[in-house]
Amino acid sequence: MKVFCEVLERLYKKVLLGATPENDSHDCVFYLNPAVSEQDCSMATSSEQANTGIQGRHQPISVGLASIAVAPACLKSNCQMSSSREVVLLQLTVIKVMMTRILSVKTDFHAKEKYRDIIKILLESAKVDSKLICMFQNSDKLLSHMAAQCLALLLYFQLREKITLSNSWIAFCQKNLSEYSESNKAIYCLWTLTAVIKEIFKDSCSQKTEILKQFLTHFNTIFEAFYNSLFSQHFENCQDTSKIVNILMCFLELLELLIASRIYLKLHFTSQRILFLKPTCVLEVITWPIQAFVKRKFIIFLKKCLLCKVGEDLCSGSVPALMPPDHQVAVDMLALANAVLQAVNSGLLKTLSVHGKHSFFGGDEVQPGCEHIFGPDHVILRAASLVIMKSLEIKFQNCSSASEMKVDLQRFMSELLTFLKPHLQPSLQLHNPCKWLSRVFIEQDDDMLEAAKASLGIYLTLTRGCEATESLTQGKEMWTHHTHENGYNPHCIFLFFLGNIGFDSTVLLDFLISSETCFLEYFVRYLKLLQKDWDNFFIICSNFDAAESKYDMSTCGCVPSLVQDQSTNQTIPHRLPAPHSHVEVCACHSQASDAPSEPLRAVTSKGNHPMYTPSLSSPPASQSLVDYDSSDDSEVESTDQCLANSKQTSLHQQGTKEIKDTAVTSRDEKEFSREPPSRPLVVKELDTAFSFGCEVVPNDVLSAVGIFYRTVKCFKELQGAICRLQKKNLFPYNPTALMKLLKYIEVISNKTMNTL
């Protein structure tokens, strides 16, 4: 045993360094061939190994016959049993390292050829794959896991070298995956198959698609059969629920890789489409009386599928950002979106376990002396919200009826807001309903931007439908009311987002440069909308500041965290307007100019919300997103006192002067020759309104453009930063189109400021 181990250790060190073994390939195979009896799946005795031997194997030069007698043996002594186990584990380790050396591009060519020859002999003569399959049944978990790792690498080696897959492995999978069973064999089958697909993704070779096609040809029908069998189970009838949970987790990872391989490698096997062909099977798992972390896994999985982000954390290497459209994928996504909405309509959200133990890296048990963390599971709240928003967007992209879209949107957004309402403190009833998105997603910027983009897509699709079917007066007023009532007005959502980042242009620049979020796509689409809907944007900015002034709610910084301590004392106005009342300002403002008092009343008494509205003074760039500035800058004083003493007003005047003094060159005017639509003199009407309809005149008439000024200033700073980077060739892509949009927004804003 001692001599055998010494030789094996020397071989291990050589392989670890990537050196070429000096011994003959058959000699190396002698030491790497695990001594396993296929009858009882235990380590074989030395006599069994000597008798069965390896067909065609000659005696190693470095070890004599006496050494064979001390090969790994299954003896009754605990010491010898432990030594035998260690030898087998070392053999598997050497095989695993040898396989990684073969797949590595850094390995020396001669060493790689030697390793390849050794592995081929192990597969052909020693039947090592059959022995590894036999080790799955070993009670030793470490031994079983190492065997699965080695087998996965050997299977990938066979695929890469165009060697026929082992019939014993295919038969083993067919037997254990043809129907659901609670045995560990099914788990190891799923784990090994998943590992093989991971290796296909990790490899840098150019034949990934052909290799995966060869692999799925053998297992396509097996995966489909197991999918139907697994999800047809009744969780209540399972004798050992831990087994089905383990199998669900293993199969979910495999299913995610299958879907990812379809998107990235452009294959269309049935097993890759099975989720979209039968989505209700997966959705029903969420309704099972199963552990909360399982439901969390499945809802996150659905989110990844709808966002086409499956496999991002399982596959290495970058994926092309712009992929050619695939009609079949679009059809499947629509089927999944419809199934999700149907499940939500049937009460899916009520089955989600939002409250429960929080899971961390160390588990969900709170150690003695540690403080319990109360509150909902933010991950589930974000995932469920994004799944519904994305499903609505996908469905509306394939719907032509504006009235049907309106009904669906109102139903599902009402369902979502009702689901979120108990977990948002303070309640959404006291705020603009559009604020829900910023409050739910504030801790996850990539999901926040995906939700904002989906909300914007819904708005644009519905806008086109309404413009085609309804009148431009009454229909538009009802439509504007609808956007606020259901919490998806794009201007409110964007202003809340800017508030979260403190109107800091450097944060926007980081988002534009980073490839980790969809901010570029969202920002460009929003700027295009802003050009066409500038009047509505200006009015919403006015209402944000009017609400701040009325309710003294200057909270510069981010929105409150998702769940606040309910025991904190918070001053809430006794009388609050309806959540959609600021929409009435837009509606009244579009009425005839011969009745100025009506819009004035709307602005002063009905159009103001206790919604989040950052003050004019920008917070420091380093300020934490959970800090709040003082509310002193929103106190009500006389106009003269405010102009003389208020720091807020002086800053606003300085900023207004900067924008007015910014001259647009003739070249820029020619580039943006299209005349912007006429802008309403909102501030002048507000002045008139306060004169006629209010007993007390506000201290600063121009305060209505506060958040408007900060937004425009942020855009201008961003434009300047992009220009500087572009001149130094430091910007990662061509920002010409983006710069044109920002420049046109600057032109519009200058004309608006000149009218004030």
Side-chain angles (χ1 to χ4, degrees):
M1 176 72 74
K2 182 179 180 181
V3 177
F4 189 95
C5 291
E6 288 178 354
V7 176
L8 189 58
E9 287 177 1
R10 286 198 299 269
L11 180 60
Y12 170 68
K13 291 177 181 178
K14 278 187 172 293
V15 175
L16 197 61
L17 295 173
T20 305
E22 299 173 356
N23 293 352
D24 181 75
S25 298
H26 288 82
D27 293 345
C28 297
V29 169
F30 174 82
Y31 294 103
L32 293 178
N33 184 21
V36 177
S37 170
E38 297 187 12
Q39 285 74 21
D40 56 4
C41 296
S42 61
M43 287 173 286
T45 62
S46 58
S47 60
E48 287 174 340
Q49 181 178 357
N51 292 333
T52 56
I54 302 175
Q55 185 178 1
R57 184 195 69 200
H58 65 277
Q59 183 174 324
I61 299 174
S62 57
V63 180
L65 290 172
S67 301
I68 301 178
V70 293
C74 182
L75 303 178
K76 294 182 179 179
S77 128
N78 290 336
C79 179
Q80 290 176 325
M81 176 67 75
S82 176
S83 299
S84 180
R85 173 181 180 273
E86 295 300 325
V87 168
V88 175
L89 287 173
L90 184 56
Q91 288 175 320
L92 297 179
T93 302
V94 175
I95 294 174
K96 179 182 175 183
V97 175
M98 192 175 289
M99 286 299 310
T100 57
R101 288 295 178 186
I102 293 174
L103 299 175
S104 173
V105 295
K106 298 180 180 180
T107 308
D108 177 71
F109 175 77
H110 297 289
K112 187 179 291 189
E113 288 299 313
K114 184 76 171 183
Y115 299 154
R116 185 179 284 111
D117 188 45
I118 293 172
I119 295 299
K120 286 182 178 180
I121 296 174
L122 273 172
L123 288 170
E124 295 171 3
S125 301
K127 303 293 183 184
V128 68
D129 50 351
S130 299
K131 295 181 179 181
L132 293 175
I133 294 171
C134 191
M135 288 185 191
F136 284 175
Q137 305 176 50
N138 197 293
S139 58
D140 190 321
K141 299 298 181 184
L142 180 57
L143 197 62
S144 300
H145 185 67
M146 283 294 296
Q149 285 185 321
C150 288
L151 181 60
L153 290 170
L154 290 172
L155 289 171
Y156 180 61
F157 176 80
Q158 290 176 316
L159 292 169
R160 200 170 186 239
E161 297 292 323
K162 300 188 183 327
I163 300 174
T164 305
L165 287 179
S166 168
N167 290 329
S168 59
W169 169 245
I170 297 176
F172 182 77
C173 290
Q174 289 176 339
K175 178 181 178 182
N176 292 282
L177 297 180
S178 59
E179 60 182 5
Y180 169 76
S181 65
E182 296 184 358
S183 67
N184 290 328
K185 295 180 182 178
I187 294 178
Y188 279 112
C189 275
L190 295 172
W191 190 95
T192 306
L193 294 169
T194 301
V196 172
I197 300 180
K198 285 183 180 180
E199 289 298 326
I200 295 175
F201 273 100
K202 287 194 298 184
D203 202 351
S204 58
C205 71
S206 59
Q207 299 178 341
K208 290 183 179 182
T209 304
E210 290 73 16
I211 293 175
L212 183 63
K213 184 177 181 180
Q214 179 186 355
F215 176 73
L216 292 181
T217 301
H218 294 285
F219 300 101
N220 184 53
T221 55
I222 297 176
F223 291 152
E224 185 178 357
F226 188 76
Y227 181 94
N228 296 328
S229 176
L230 174 62
F231 292 114
S232 63
Q233 300 300 311
H234 295 283
F235 184 77
E236 301 86 347
N237 300 334
C238 296
Q239 297 178 353
D240 189 351
T241 56
S242 63
K243 289 287 182 64
I244 191 172
V245 168
N246 289 336
I247 292 177
L248 280 172
M249 294 297 98
C250 288
F251 188 68
L252 193 64
E253 187 177 13
L254 175 61
L255 193 60
E256 182 173 350
L257 277 173
L258 289 172
I259 298 172
S261 65
R262 177 196 180 186
I263 296 174
Y264 302 156
L265 301 182
K266 299 298 181 183
L267 291 175
H268 297 281
F269 283 86
T270 306
S271 57
Q272 296 173 297
R273 299 184 56 208
I274 188 67
L275 168 69
F276 306 98
L277 297 176
K278 301 178 181 180
T280 54
C281 297
V282 172
L283 289 166
E284 285 177 358
V285 175
I286 301 176
T287 65
W288 288 1
I290 202 169
Q291 289 93 325
F293 81 91
V294 179
K295 296 187 177 186
R296 175 198 274 203
K297 278 277 190 181
F298 273 80
I299 198 73
I300 292 175
F301 169 69
L302 291 173
K303 181 192 77 172
K304 289 181 179 180
C305 291
L306 290 167
L307 295 177
C308 291
K309 291 187 176 181
V310 282
E312 277 193 342
D313 51 353
L314 297 174
C315 314
S316 64
S318 60
V319 180
L322 297 175
M323 304 190 70
D326 189 324
H327 175 70
Q328 191 62 58
V329 171
V331 172
D332 287 349
M333 285 296 179
L334 177 59
L336 179 60
N338 286 331
V340 167
L341 295 177
Q342 185 177 357
V344 171
N345 195 40
S346 301
L348 178 69
L349 295 179
K350 298 176 183 178
T351 64
L352 290 177
S353 303
V354 179
H355 288 286
K357 295 181 179 179
H358 289 262
S359 297
F360 302 99
F361 287 109
D364 58 4
E365 296 297 331
V366 179
Q367 299 298 320
C370 297
E371 185 179 355
H372 287 264
I373 299 178
F374 299 96
D377 189 333
H378 299 186
V379 176
I380 290 183
L381 290 178
R382 288 193 294 267
S385 301
L386 192 48
V387 163
I388 293 176
M389 294 297 293
K390 195 64 184 178
S391 297
L392 284 171
E393 182 189 21
I394 293 173
K395 181 178 181 179
F396 290 175
Q397 288 172 351
N398 297 271
C399 183
S400 58
S401 172
S403 58
E404 179 184 346
M405 287 188 283
K406 273 189 174 183
V407 171
D408 285 344
L409 181 66
Q410 189 165 6
R411 179 169 70 249
F412 290 111
M413 287 304 299
S414 175
E415 187 86 17
L416 176 59
L417 294 177
T418 302
F419 168 69
L420 296 173
K421 180 181 176 182
H423 313 299
L424 298 177
Q425 298 298 332
S427 174
L428 279 179
Q429 287 182 342
L430 308 180
H431 295 272
N432 183 338
C434 301
K435 192 175 184 178
W436 75 269
L437 194 145
S438 292
R439 295 179 63 189
V440 170
F441 292 97
I442 187 163
E443 297 178 3
Q444 197 75 28
D445 52 9
D446 55 343
D447 281 354
M448 176 189 289
L449 294 170
E450 288 287 356
K453 183 165 75 77
S455 177
L456 180 58
I458 292 171
Y459 177 87
L460 294 175
T461 303
L462 272 171
T463 301
R464 287 191 293 267
C466 290
E467 289 176 349
T469 59
E470 298 178 2
S471 64
L472 297 178
T473 55
Q474 181 180 0
K476 191 170 184 179
E477 294 172 9
M478 294 177 61
W479 164 243
T480 306
H481 172 89
H482 192 269
T483 62
H484 291 280
E485 185 180 36
N486 293 286
Y488 68 104
N489 183 277
H491 303 303
C492 291
I493 290 174
F494 184 75
L495 290 174
F496 283 131
F497 166 71
L498 285 183
N500 285 351
I501 63 174
F503 291 83
D504 190 346
S505 61
T506 60
V507 178
L508 295 183
L509 184 64
D510 288 341
F511 277 127
L512 286 174
I513 293 175
S514 173
S515 60
E516 297 179 357
T517 69
C518 63
F519 179 72
L520 174 60
E521 182 182 357
Y522 165 67
F523 192 48
V524 168
R525 295 181 71 184
Y526 178 72
L527 290 178
K528 290 180 178 179
L529 169 68
L530 190 57
Q531 291 180 352
K532 301 176 181 178
D533 203 25
W534 184 259
D535 292 342
N536 198 20
F537 169 75
F538 186 83
I539 294 173
I540 289 176
C541 288
S542 303
N543 281 278
F544 268 56
D545 287 301
E548 177 181 350
S549 176
K550 180 176 181 179
Y551 292 101
D552 192 22
M553 294 185 64
S554 173
T555 53
C556 183
C558 79
V559 299
S561 59
L562 182 64
V563 178
Q564 294 182 337
D565 186 358
Q566 300 184 23
S567 63
T568 57
N569 295 325
Q570 185 173 1
T571 303
I572 299 176
H574 295 289
R575 187 176 181 182
L576 297 173
H580 58 273
S581 58
H582 64 290
V583 182
E584 298 178 17
V585 180
C586 307
C588 294
H589 188 70
S590 62
Q591 294 175 359
S593 59
D594 57 352
S597 60
E598 290 302 320
L600 301 212
R601 295 194 195 98
V603 171
T604 56
S605 64
K606 297 179 67 178
N608 301 331
H609 287 274
M611 50 184 151
Y612 164 70
T613 52
S615 65
L616 288 174
S617 56
S618 299
S622 60
Q623 180 181 353
S624 171
L625 286 181
V626 294
D627 290 339
Y628 298 90
D629 280 356
S630 171
S631 299
D632 296 338
D633 55 359
S634 60
E635 293 179 355
V636 178
E637 301 175 4
S638 67
T639 304
D640 294 336
Q641 289 175 337
C642 188
L643 292 174
N645 303 324
S646 172
K647 181 179 179 181
Q648 170 184 342
T649 304
S650 62
L651 178 62
H652 166 258
Q653 289 178 334
Q654 179 183 354
T656 305
K657 185 177 183 299
E658 290 177 6
I659 295 181
K660 286 184 177 181
D661 293 342
T662 304
V664 181
T665 63
S666 58
R667 176 182 176 184
D668 293 332
E669 289 178 346
K670 181 181 291 186
E671 182 178 359
F672 295 96
S673 58
R674 181 168 62 91
E675 182 69 19
S678 60
R679 310 296 163 200
L681 303 182
V682 176
V683 177
K684 291 184 179 180
E685 290 197 16
L686 286 173
D687 193 6
T688 308
F690 286 125
S691 301
F692 285 95
C694 301
E695 296 179 0
V696 180
V697 179
N699 51 0
D700 186 5
V701 176
L702 292 179
S703 65
V705 296
I707 200 170
F708 167 79
Y709 158 69
R710 294 188 66 187
T711 304
V712 171
K713 183 174 181 288
C714 182
F715 285 159
K716 186 177 179 181
E717 292 173 351
L718 177 63
Q719 183 181 351
I722 296 174
C723 280
R724 289 191 296 272
L725 290 176
Q726 189 182 19
K727 288 178 181 179
K728 298 178 181 179
N729 293 324
L730 296 177
F731 207 73
Y733 52 86
N734 185 1
T736 304
L738 177 62
M739 291 296 290
K740 286 183 178 180
L741 291 171
L742 288 172
K743 190 64 181 176
Y744 187 68
I745 295 298
E746 182 184 359
V747 173
I748 300 176
S749 62
N750 286 337
K751 292 193 176 184
T752 301
M753 295 299 293
N754 288 332
T755 62
L756 301 180

